[in-house]
Amino acid sequence: MSAPTTASHRPTEAALEAVSIRFCGDSGDGMQLTGGQFTNTSALFGNDIATFPDFPAEIRAPRGTTYGVSAFQVQFASSEIYTPGDAVNALVAMNPAGLKTNIRDVEPGGIVIVNDDEFNAVNFKKCGYPDGVNPLDDEDFNRRYRVYRVPMSRLTRESLAEAGMGAKDVDRCRNMYALGLVYWLYERPIDATVRFLEEQFEQKRKRPELADLNIRALKAGYNFGETAEMFPVRFKVPPAKLAPGVYRKISGNEATALGFVVAAHKAGKRLTYASYPITPASDVLHTLASLKRFGVQTFQAEDEIAAVCAAIGAAYAGDFALTGSSGPGIALKGEAIGLAVMLELPIVIINVQRAGPATGMPTKTEQADLLQAMYGRASESPVAIVAPRSPADCFTMAIEAFRLAVRCMCPVIFLSDGYIANGAEPWLMPDLDAIEPITAVHPTANNNPEGNFLPYERNPSTLGRPWAIPGTPGLEHRVGGLEKQDGTGNVSYDPENHDHMVRTRAEKIQRAVEIVPPLEVRGPESGDALLLGWGGTYGAITTAGDRLRASGHKVSTAHLRYLNPMPANVEEVLRRFRRVIVPEINLGQLRRLIRDRFLIDAVGINEVRGTMFRVETLVERTLEIMGQKPASGAAGMEGA
Amino acid sequence: MHDTSLPTLKPKDFASDQDVRWCPGCGDYAVLKAVQNALPNLRRKKEDFVFVSGIGCAARFPYYMNTYGMHSIHGRAPAFAAGIKLANPDLQVWIVSGDGDLLSIGGNHTLHTMRRNMDVKILLLNNRIYGLTKGQYSPTSEFGKRTKSTPYGSVDYPVNPLSLAIGAGCTFVARCIDIDVKAIEALMLRAAAHRGTALIEVYQDCNIFNHEAWFYASQKAGRAEHTTQLEHGKPIVFGAERDKGLRFNGHRIEVVQLGNGVTESDLLVHDETDRGLAFLLAQLQHPAFPEPMGVIYANEDRDTYEHLAARQLQEAVGDGEPDLKTLLDDGETWVVR
């Protein structure tokens, strides 16, 4: 972005390919809603979008403190994008604490719009600025950024004075004032937000006067941009050229919920979700609880263990059973998942990973539960593992998770993470008829002409066992945690049988590779380096790969969505590249699996900061690993 | 449920082909026999029974029943049972497990199952000891008990299972002893007919590690003096000569000798629908009081969880297939051409 030099009354217009904007303020300032509305409007406008909501675990931390800051970043673009953007082009800070914690991510020359009224001595003190220092007066600061000081509190009050509402209600409209201003600045229509406000306040909460108040603030902010002559330039980001079709905006947790509902319908089964609230997975429970009309049953259990056990019970009785949590809850569920391995029942366990260990940083992302998913149970206890790579991909992988569970008759772990769970992107709504049905059969006839039903008689091809459910006459059988004789399911301590069963439980998961699509390479099929990732790093890795190729490097990318079993062609793909580089938000968990399994000397790029990789970090580190270290600072690392 | 086409089943139809592996003389044998005797009288199809257990000696129970069954993990049987009932409320689910399993490691699930009034039946085989792990004290062991893990005596106060159940909102609470096979059968009939959580505490003899725990209630000599068989609407009488009873003195219960002007009409009359009374009765403990046997509390004043959940679901689904397309469309879509 180049700063305009003209000073005409009408602002000039500048077209941009992509803008990353971040709203920040107190956690009570409505920043998530503001960012969400900006995202909706941009999506409806036709931009490609990627979001990064970033909020504290505290619900209402003391006002004005840095630990109470809530932020929402969205990148909107006229081309395809995969990340919310490394550097922020425009920051809207509703208070000094917001500015203090977020300014480091703003690009040099970036726009900073502040609510000037909140920049006072009291608030400076709350967030630890030295006495008598207003950061907005700093010369360096003003040279570095394009700063716009808008007295939003006062302007909001003035523009709503005639409404005759209380000061508290009026002050809560500041975020809409800011949003209106930003809509003007980026030439966005306001009508989607007007509709939203009417629906929220008039229809749902029966407070039409609040709808009116917020809409007035929104319009006042917009009109301020139009008339104040403060901004010399307005920006245009034309619609993106996405594949044709009907789109909606979707977050990872929403897509997860919808995917599992569709999975159950595709099998003609009822979905039962048993869960215990935990950040950042609770929205899956909330979403599914609101979808009862599609026959979804939800059960808020007394604890994490009860949740997984109820899911296993529901699976035994024939439902598509699902449980969900985050790392600490998954740890509690470990024993029961082991039982499901032993019982050979299909359940899916959602893990929306967060930063740990222990309580860690509940609202921050991480992908450090891969080895927990692989090995985090007693004994040889294999499960299938899938990992969506983006918010919308959660939909697809949810269906795949149940496809694997039913085929293998085993638990499947669905590894999402806080970044994709809360992030949103446009979603080309799928043709539901085109999704392959899932075959889930419950036998009704005894498979043993000689005697009792054989609950562990195996399908010779998949090694799955019959999913016979209580209520079926003649197939009465017992399942249990004690080792069982293959076929009969009777308790067995026979060493040969145990060895056979341990291997069979592992083998049936590896055999599912038949239904796992091959690993795809983006970029040339061979070259100097392959960036191999899994989970929420897809956007950052893909963008980094694209940039590296654009600057002439022989770097391709590939992303694993199936981690156990891995696609059949993984080794073959990896061996076509001189180097395999595995970026992960952990200390090298996939890298370990790759090295272990293929004896390939994969190198890691690892950061565990509770946040997603910056694209530039991946670009720089990749070049470093390839021995082509860019001159210091030349890679475009931005921000303070 | 009252299907006349039901086949006539016999106790042996409910015995699996597996060898029973409890210690000879274990009280669990009597309970198994009573259960197998009772099931044909419950007038349900064999395939509709599911036996669920946790871990422990008693938890081997499902393997010996020719019904559907799940031998699960330690303490969690009620949670598995909840899932089974959520998936298919028509099944009759029996939880059979011990005091350690259901009251110690699984206390939380037992509590919440009763609170929700899940329509499951719990046979709590209470032997006041950990048997399978070879003789440590359990949450029902008496204070001061010397075991392998408490050589100087336990300093843990025991839990009273019936008081806990009543406090948690359990809608059917009963007690019996393993040697009284007829009582177990009768209580199972009552429990099966009850809509809601039914807890039957069975005093069960672990003849290896805690053989004398229930002698006061099981031995011919003292049994009539140390227990009293409750009957709804009847005065509470006990003693070999049926010469003693329970009476209210203010808001406390006391033991009185009949005669000398004290007649049955002065005694406390059992009302199994009275939760307050049930709590008082559950508190009566040996040796100060005879311990009540039979149905302490039974009241269908609350609906069951799975019935409420199923009704909510049914109302939400309404008639006909939901259109999945409306699932995906959140009303904020746009078209790219």
Side-chain angles (χ1 to χ4, degrees):
Chain A
M1 280 193 280
S2 61
T5 49
T6 53
S8 79
H9 287 297
R10 298 301 305 163
T12 53
E13 272 191 3
L16 297 172
E17 193 181 319
V19 170
S20 178
I21 181 167
R22 186 183 293 179
F23 299 89
C24 64
D26 221 64
S27 44
D29 279 342
M31 292 295 97
Q32 300 303 316
L33 186 144
T34 307
Q37 279 305 304
F38 191 91
T39 305
N40 267 1
T41 291
S42 299
L44 289 170
F45 182 73
N47 294 130
D48 197 1
I49 51 153
T51 73
F52 172 47
D54 186 19
F55 42 85
E58 294 77 13
I59 302 302
R60 293 276 190 278
R63 267 197 87 80
T65 58
T66 52
Y67 46 88
V69 171
S70 170
F72 189 104
Q73 181 172 332
V74 50
Q75 178 165 219
F76 56 107
S78 60
S79 57
E80 266 191 81
I81 50 166
Y82 303 95
T83 77
D86 277 5
V88 173
N89 308 120
L91 180 74
V92 178
M94 300 303 284
N95 67 359
L99 183 77
K100 191 175 186 192
T101 46
N102 288 281
I103 191 67
R104 71 174 86 98
D105 295 331
V106 181
E107 64 172 355
I111 293 174
V112 177
I113 302 172
V114 301
N115 177 4
D116 204 23
D117 293 329
E118 291 291 311
F119 282 70
N120 52 43
V122 176
N123 284 341
F124 293 150
K125 195 172 175 197
K126 281 184 192 163
C127 63
Y129 278 113
D131 246 5
V133 174
N134 183 343
L136 300 180
D137 295 337
D138 182 78
E139 271 182 39
D140 275 355
F141 176 78
N142 281 287
R143 263 199 301 274
R144 195 172 169 85
Y145 307 107
R146 284 177 281 172
V147 182
Y148 299 99
R149 299 167 69 157
V150 184
M152 291 187 210
S153 303
R154 180 170 62 79
L155 292 171
T156 306
R157 281 180 199 159
E158 283 173 8
S159 56
L160 302 181
E162 287 170 22
M165 297 284 289
K168 201 175 165 193
D169 285 333
V170 167
D171 283 348
R172 293 183 73 175
C173 294
R174 282 179 207 159
N175 61 335
M176 287 298 113
Y177 191 93
L179 182 63
L181 174 57
V182 176
Y183 276 164
W184 175 82
L185 187 61
Y186 291 99
E187 299 196 5
R188 321 260 95 186
I190 64 167
D191 36 318
T193 297
V194 169
R195 275 202 309 276
F196 166 81
L197 292 169
E198 284 169 351
E199 200 178 292
Q200 280 300 306
F201 290 110
E202 263 179 60
Q203 289 158 28
K204 286 195 184 150
R205 290 167 58 184
K206 307 291 175 208
R207 298 284 306 273
E209 71 282 8
L210 290 183
D212 179 59
L213 207 61
N214 277 281
I215 291 166
R216 278 191 202 208
L218 181 74
K219 288 181 176 167
Y222 192 94
N223 293 338
F224 175 82
E226 187 79 22
T227 55
E229 294 177 17
M230 186 183 249
F231 297 87
V233 61
R234 285 179 87 183
F235 304 97
K236 214 192 218 353
V237 179
K241 289 157 213 72
L242 302 173
V246 183
Y247 283 78
R248 63 167 283 189
K249 183 197 76 167
I250 197 156
S251 75
N253 274 346
E254 283 171 335
T256 300
L258 299 190
F260 283 113
V261 176
V262 170
H265 277 263
K266 280 285 164 185
K269 302 295 294 175
R270 198 249 311 275
L271 182 70
T272 288
Y273 184 54
S275 184
Y276 185 77
I278 184 169
T279 302
S282 300
D283 279 341
V284 177
L285 174 60
H286 305 159
T287 306
L288 286 172
S290 74
L291 295 176
K292 278 205 161 58
R293 67 185 185 282
F294 295 99
V296 179
Q297 180 160 243
T298 54
F299 178 58
Q300 183 175 315
E302 59 270 26
D303 60 31
E304 294 281 2
I305 297 171
V308 64
C309 294
I312 294 169
Y316 180 58
D319 274 359
F320 258 28
L322 181 66
T323 185
S325 188
S326 189
I330 301 296
L332 285 166
K333 294 180 196 293
E335 185 192 11
I337 297 171
L339 179 72
V341 168
M342 200 69 162
L343 302 185
E344 303 193 37
L345 282 172
I347 61 161
V348 176
I349 303 112
I350 301 167
N351 179 357
V352 186
Q353 299 164 93
R354 67 188 212 188
T359 307
M361 302 192 287
T363 56
K364 308 295 175 195
T365 199
E366 204 162 276
Q367 40 177 193
D369 295 346
L370 175 57
L371 294 182
Q372 180 197 44
M374 282 293 289
Y375 304 121
R377 290 163 298 282
S379 186
E380 296 286 351
S381 187
V383 300
I385 305 168
V386 298
R389 66 186 185 189
S390 75
D393 195 41
C394 291
F395 178 84
T396 308
M397 296 318 286
I399 297 168
E400 290 306 290
F402 262 119
R403 204 183 294 289
L404 285 167
V406 173
R407 178 196 148 106
C408 299
M409 289 295 284
C410 76
V412 176
I413 292 182
F414 175 94
L415 275 180
S416 176
D417 64 52
Y419 176 75
I420 54 179
N422 290 319
E425 65 179 338
W427 182 38
L428 174 59
M429 285 167 34
D431 173 6
L432 291 172
D433 298 330
I435 297 170
E436 281 279 308
I438 297 174
T439 315
V441 184
H442 303 299
T444 53
N446 189 351
N447 56 7
N448 180 15
E450 322 272 291
N452 288 339
F453 172 64
L454 299 172
Y456 283 76
E457 184 185 69
R458 298 190 181 279
N459 175 318
S461 145
T462 65
L463 300 182
R465 74 173 189 89
W467 187 5
I469 58 174
T472 314
L475 305 191
E476 289 85 0
H477 66 279
R478 275 64 59 197
V479 293
L482 290 171
E483 182 60 285
K484 44 195 54 59
Q485 189 182 43
D486 207 4
T488 65
N490 290 334
V491 174
S492 168
Y493 282 77
D494 176 63
E496 300 305 323
N497 176 74
H498 179 55
D499 187 81
H500 162 74
M501 290 296 270
V502 166
R503 290 172 198 278
T504 302
R505 288 186 285 260
E507 169 71 13
K508 65 178 181 170
I509 289 170
Q510 294 315 313
R511 283 200 189 180
V513 74
E514 283 172 18
I515 62 164
V516 171
L519 179 66
E520 286 173 15
V521 175
R522 183 176 168 106
E525 290 292 322
S526 63
D528 290 337
L530 178 75
L531 292 177
L532 177 71
W534 67 278
T537 51
Y538 173 72
I541 292 175
T542 301
T543 310
D546 288 358
R547 278 195 207 165
L548 283 160
R549 277 193 304 283
S551 55
H553 297 283
K554 290 181 181 145
V555 175
S556 298
T557 57
H559 217 71
L560 281 169
R561 298 152 83 208
Y562 298 80
L563 290 149
N564 199 32
M566 285 186 193
N569 66 334
V570 171
E571 179 170 12
E572 183 250 320
V573 167
L574 302 189
R575 294 208 184 276
R576 292 202 300 255
F577 291 86
R578 287 185 53 216
R579 271 198 184 76
V580 175
I581 300 170
V582 185
E584 294 178 89
I585 314 288
N586 61 41
L587 295 183
Q589 301 196 1
L590 175 63
R591 176 164 49 104
R592 230 171 262 245
L593 295 180
I594 294 289
R595 293 171 71 122
D596 167 33
R597 179 141 171 217
F598 305 117
L599 287 174
I600 286 175
D601 189 13
V603 180
I605 299 176
N606 303 91
E607 271 188 3
V608 202
R609 301 157 50 89
T611 184
M612 185 41 62
F613 281 118
R614 293 161 58 99
V615 173
E616 286 304 327
T617 307
L618 294 181
V619 168
E620 283 207 327
R621 298 283 302 281
T622 301
L623 291 174
E624 255 176 57
I625 291 166
M626 293 169 69
Q628 300 174 18
K629 191 170 163 52
S632 175
M637 287 283 277
E638 286 153 342
Chain B
M1 269 174 118
H2 300 286
D3 191 344
T4 50
S5 67
L6 282 171
T8 309
L9 294 165
K10 298 195 174 65
K12 68 173 171 51
D13 293 321
F14 288 98
S16 79
D17 59 356
Q18 297 297 292
D19 295 333
V20 183
R21 300 187 196 178
W22 288 312
C23 309
C26 173
D28 288 348
Y29 282 97
V31 180
L32 179 63
K33 187 171 165 43
V35 170
Q36 288 169 347
N37 283 346
L39 291 193
N41 300 326
L42 302 186
R43 305 301 294 156
R44 295 290 302 261
K45 292 176 184 155
K46 195 168 80 158
E47 61 269 22
D48 288 345
F49 290 107
V50 185
F51 278 79
V52 184
S53 66
I55 292 293
C57 295
R60 299 295 174 96
F61 211 93
Y63 289 123
Y64 308 136
M65 296 295 300
N66 187 17
T67 63
Y68 285 95
M70 183 188 286
H71 173 227
S72 74
I73 49 176
H74 206 2
R76 320 299 171 196
F80 291 98
I84 292 168
K85 287 295 279 186
L86 285 173
N88 186 354
D90 294 335
L91 298 171
Q92 188 173 107
V93 177
W94 287 86
I95 296 165
V96 186
S97 237
D99 45 312
D101 192 63
L102 287 169
L103 297 172
S104 188
I105 188 168
N108 195 33
H109 310 302
T110 306
L111 164 72
H112 290 283
T113 295
M114 297 189 292
R115 171 178 71 77
R116 291 190 184 104
N117 202 26
M118 279 281 179
D119 191 11
V120 296
K121 319 301 163 194
I122 305 172
L123 283 175
L124 167 62
L125 305 191
N126 182 7
N127 57 18
R128 310 190 84 171
I129 199 78
Y130 281 79
L132 199 61
T133 51
K134 301 191 172 46
Q136 302 83 5
Y137 77 105
S138 93
T140 54
S141 295
E142 55 277 26
F143 185 88
K145 189 168 189 73
R146 287 176 194 272
T147 70
K148 279 183 189 158
S149 61
T150 50
Y152 298 94
S154 151
V155 292
D156 253 353
Y157 295 101
V159 66
N160 177 329
L162 300 190
S163 300
L164 180 78
I166 295 161
C170 190
T171 51
F172 182 96
V173 180
R175 180 195 274 150
C176 57
I177 186 159
D178 54 8
I179 53 165
D180 194 350
V181 173
K182 289 286 163 226
I184 301 174
E185 289 176 38
L187 289 177
M188 282 185 67
L189 273 174
R190 284 286 309 269
H194 175 78
R195 277 167 44 90
T197 312
L199 177 88
I200 303 173
E201 181 191 16
V202 183
Y203 285 177
Q204 177 247 323
D205 179 23
C206 173
N207 60 325
I208 304 296
F209 295 109
N210 207 16
H211 187 39
E212 294 179 6
W214 301 119
F215 268 19
Y216 68 85
S218 63
Q219 300 302 294
K220 227 174 192 155
R223 189 172 171 191
E225 301 298 327
H226 301 145
T227 63
T228 172
Q229 193 64 43
L230 299 177
E231 284 181 80
H232 180 60
K234 299 268 175 66
I236 302 176
V237 181
F238 69 102
E241 308 297 325
R242 294 187 65 76
D243 58 344
K244 297 185 204 63
L246 298 181
R247 182 174 76 174
F248 264 125
N249 180 0
H251 59 275
R252 291 172 193 274
I253 291 175
E254 64 177 9
V255 172
V256 287
Q257 186 74 42
L258 290 170
N260 289 331
V262 180
T263 67
E264 286 201 1
S265 63
D266 297 313
L267 297 183
L268 175 49
V269 175
H270 183 45
D271 176 359
E272 63 186 28
T273 67
D274 185 335
R275 198 153 169 255
L277 176 62
F279 193 79
L280 290 174
L281 291 174
Q283 292 286 308
L284 303 182
Q285 284 178 337
H286 180 77
F289 291 95
E291 293 188 344
M293 297 284 164
V295 178
I296 315 270
Y297 181 65
N299 200 334
E300 291 188 359
D301 61 345
R302 289 194 292 148
D303 211 339
T304 67
Y305 182 95
E306 64 268 43
H307 180 237
L308 292 168
R311 196 168 64 195
Q312 214 176 51
L313 197 59
Q314 202 172 12
E315 279 167 9
V317 171
D319 303 325
E321 269 298 287
D323 181 3
L324 269 196
K325 290 193 175 68
T326 66
L327 169 73
L328 304 193
D329 188 344
D330 65 344
E332 293 271 357
T333 60
W334 68 95
V335 179
V336 174
R337 292 181 204 285

